[in-house]
Amino acid sequence: MFIAKVIGKVVATPKHPSFAGFKLLFIQPYITKDNKFTPSGSSIVAVDCVNCGEGEMVMFTQGSSARMTECTKDAPVDAVIVGIVDSVEVEGKSIPKP
Amino acid sequence: MFIAKVIGKVVATPKHPSFAGFKLLFIQPYITKDNKFTPSGSSIVAVDCVNCGEGEMVMFTQGSSARMTECTKDAPVDAVIVGIVDSVEVEGKSIPKP
Amino acid sequence: MFIAKVIGKVVATPKHPSFAGFKLLFIQPYITKDNKFTPSGSSIVAVDCVNCGEGEMVMFTQGSSARMTECTKDAPVDAVIVGIVDSVEVEGKSIPKP
Amino acid sequence: MFIAKVIGKVVATPKHPSFAGFKLLFIQPYITKDNKFTPSGSSIVAVDCVNCGEGEMVMFTQGSSARMTECTKDAPVDAVIVGIVDSVEVEGKSIPKP
Amino acid sequence: MFIAKVIGKVVATPKHPSFAGFKLLFIQPYITKDNKFTPSGSSIVAVDCVNCGEGEMVMFTQGSSARMTECTKDAPVDAVIVGIVDSVEVEGKSIPKP
């Protein structure tokens, strides 16, 4: 899983039927560098499985494993948010959230 | 899923039988940076599942999940368009389409 | 799927039994930039499923979907050529082949 | 599999039920260059399957194969630690751990 | 599949039970550029399925397809060596091995 920040949402009216009812969030992956969070990699559209909100740090799962939640089962989904991150500790210190 | 712009189409006459009838679109992934869309990453050939057209912003699914639509089931397909993007909102503001 | 040019072939005598009889081609992925094809990304060994030849532009499938053809079924294969590209049109114009 | 160093841990209280009881470690992938370890690529959240600790070098598995351990079976997990690395030898010499 | 050079080996004593007996090699992917081999991308830990040795050029398979060999079946493995490369020919000429 990777860490990301929820930066927005995506509205798509014409879409595959299995997406009906999905909350589609727009997330920006973050890595840590010198014990700070820094954005890294492409922004992603992910299905929200844990009822998170904009600005929160989350962790998300990609690939076939993204279909292993109840809501995404058998859907053409390759990214799902699986947890809201309370804290990331590196060398015993909590990394400040961006 | 990632966001992309439909930039063209691909014609391939000799091809795997399961591709017969597929509408193959050529898409360019986009990310957001400083609240603007910017192209990022390799252009991709994707199967169209939602009847979209050139110039539209779409979201697409990759990997095994790309086989989870009716038309792509069991086909050697690793990228499928699953929605037409109406809007992407970041920090409450709609990102202008490129 | 991505677009690639067939640039050569690979000979591997000691190999997994399921590769016996496979035609292994060496391909270079291409993307489009400013309406021209340009090589991008790592050269790849792909199984040929459509009887293509050196110099041709093809499209290929990666990951588990590469096992969805008759010849690659259940084989430890992660890249297969699924079509010979006749043309790629961007904004109504055919991109010249490299 | 890739080599990584365990650099910390991740606490996520609201999360997918299948993550209950998982030890979530934060790891930094390393590659070798000129016979030295050097960090490379994005920091990752991985499930610990081998009871490792902070500072240790490990190897981890990604994608659907990350679900092939007893603890991660059928869970929406795409990264799992599968071994603690004792040594990596390149050209007959052990690479010093970072 | 990608081409790689076997550059060393990995010893991991505490590890997932399904890795018992696996020969774990450390490999460096190579691409071709201007008809020469050049290292590219991250060094990888791969299971050896074809009894290869250090210094040899091999091809390897990643992702779920890495579980399609007898020895790696159902194991949490995402990279396996599936062939020893005798030669790679580009434009009719054999690329010298690095």
Side-chain angles (χ1 to χ4, degrees):
Chain A
M1 289 66 65
F2 290 100
I3 303 284
K5 186 179 184 175
V6 180
I7 59 169
K9 61 181 179 181
V10 175
V11 179
T13 307
K15 62 194 163 195
H16 188 267
S18 64
F19 278 73
F22 279 178
K23 186 170 145 200
L24 295 175
L25 295 180
F26 199 51
I27 63 176
Q28 171 61 52
Y30 272 74
I31 61 170
T32 58
K33 208 170 180 177
D34 301 328
N35 293 355
K36 283 177 192 158
F37 275 121
T38 178
S40 176
S42 300
S43 39
I44 293 174
V45 185
V47 175
D48 177 19
C49 243
V50 293
N51 201 23
C52 57
E54 205 170 317
E56 281 186 302
M57 296 302 282
V58 297
M59 61 182 189
F60 67 101
T61 295
Q62 289 177 291
S64 63
S65 295
R67 299 196 308 269
M68 296 292 127
T69 72
E70 295 67 34
C71 57
T72 56
K73 193 167 149 52
D74 297 331
V77 163
D78 61 8
V80 67
I81 297 171
V82 292
I84 300 177
V85 172
D86 295 322
S87 67
V88 175
E89 281 184 26
V90 172
E91 294 165 15
K93 285 179 190 166
S94 187
I95 306 291
K97 291 183 185 177
Chain B
M1 288 67 65
F2 290 100
I3 302 285
K5 186 179 183 177
V6 180
I7 60 169
K9 62 182 179 180
V10 175
V11 179
T13 306
K15 63 195 164 197
H16 189 269
S18 64
F19 278 74
F22 278 179
K23 186 171 145 200
L24 295 174
L25 295 180
F26 199 53
I27 63 176
Q28 172 60 53
Y30 272 74
I31 60 169
T32 59
K33 208 169 179 176
D34 301 329
N35 292 356
K36 282 177 193 159
F37 274 121
T38 179
S40 176
S42 300
S43 40
I44 293 174
V45 185
V47 175
D48 177 19
C49 243
V50 293
N51 201 22
C52 58
E54 206 170 316
E56 282 186 303
M57 297 301 283
V58 296
M59 61 182 188
F60 66 101
T61 295
Q62 288 177 291
S64 64
S65 295
R67 299 196 307 270
M68 296 292 127
T69 72
E70 296 67 34
C71 58
T72 56
K73 193 167 148 51
D74 297 331
V77 163
D78 61 8
V80 67
I81 297 171
V82 291
I84 300 177
V85 172
D86 295 322
S87 67
V88 176
E89 280 183 28
V90 172
E91 294 165 16
K93 285 180 190 164
S94 187
I95 306 292
K97 292 184 186 176
Chain C
M1 289 67 64
F2 290 100
I3 302 285
K5 186 180 184 176
V6 180
I7 60 170
K9 61 182 180 180
V10 175
V11 180
T13 307
K15 62 193 164 197
H16 188 270
S18 65
F19 277 74
F22 278 179
K23 187 170 144 200
L24 295 174
L25 294 180
F26 198 52
I27 63 176
Q28 171 60 53
Y30 273 74
I31 60 169
T32 59
K33 208 170 179 177
D34 301 329
N35 293 356
K36 282 177 194 158
F37 274 121
T38 179
S40 175
S42 300
S43 39
I44 294 174
V45 184
V47 175
D48 177 19
C49 243
V50 292
N51 201 23
C52 58
E54 205 170 319
E56 282 186 303
M57 297 302 282
V58 296
M59 61 182 189
F60 67 101
T61 295
Q62 288 177 292
S64 64
S65 295
R67 300 196 307 269
M68 295 294 128
T69 72
E70 296 68 33
C71 57
T72 56
K73 192 167 148 53
D74 296 332
V77 163
D78 62 8
V80 67
I81 297 171
V82 292
I84 300 177
V85 172
D86 296 321
S87 67
V88 175
E89 281 183 27
V90 173
E91 295 165 16
K93 285 180 189 164
S94 186
I95 306 291
K97 292 184 184 176
Chain D
M1 288 67 64
F2 290 100
I3 303 284
K5 186 179 184 176
V6 180
I7 60 170
K9 63 181 179 181
V10 175
V11 179
T13 306
K15 62 194 164 197
H16 188 268
S18 65
F19 278 74
F22 278 178
K23 187 171 145 200
L24 295 175
L25 295 180
F26 199 51
I27 64 176
Q28 172 60 53
Y30 272 74
I31 59 169
T32 59
K33 208 169 178 176
D34 301 328
N35 293 356
K36 283 177 193 158
F37 274 120
T38 179
S40 175
S42 300
S43 39
I44 293 174
V45 185
V47 175
D48 177 18
C49 242
V50 293
N51 202 21
C52 58
E54 204 169 318
E56 282 186 303
M57 297 301 283
V58 297
M59 62 182 187
F60 67 101
T61 294
Q62 289 176 291
S64 63
S65 295
R67 300 196 308 268
M68 296 292 128
T69 72
E70 295 68 34
C71 58
T72 56
K73 193 168 149 50
D74 296 332
V77 163
D78 61 8
V80 66
I81 297 171
V82 291
I84 300 177
V85 172
D86 296 322
S87 67
V88 175
E89 281 184 27
V90 173
E91 294 166 14
K93 286 180 189 163
S94 187
I95 306 292
K97 291 184 185 177
Chain E
M1 289 67 65
F2 290 100
I3 302 285
K5 186 179 183 174
V6 180
I7 59 170
K9 60 182 180 181
V10 175
V11 180
T13 306
K15 63 193 164 197
H16 188 268
S18 64
F19 278 74
F22 278 177
K23 187 171 144 199
L24 295 174
L25 295 180
F26 199 51
I27 64 176
Q28 171 61 52
Y30 272 75
I31 60 169
T32 58
K33 208 169 178 176
D34 300 330
N35 293 356
K36 282 177 192 156
F37 274 121
T38 179
S40 175
S42 300
S43 39
I44 294 173
V45 185
V47 175
D48 177 18
C49 243
V50 293
N51 201 23
C52 58
E54 206 169 317
E56 282 186 302
M57 297 301 283
V58 297
M59 62 182 188
F60 67 101
T61 295
Q62 288 177 292
S64 63
S65 295
R67 300 196 309 268
M68 296 292 128
T69 72
E70 295 67 35
C71 58
T72 56
K73 193 168 147 50
D74 296 332
V77 163
D78 62 8
V80 66
I81 297 170
V82 291
I84 301 176
V85 172
D86 295 321
S87 67
V88 175
E89 279 183 29
V90 173
E91 294 166 16
K93 286 180 189 164
S94 187
I95 307 291
K97 291 184 185 176

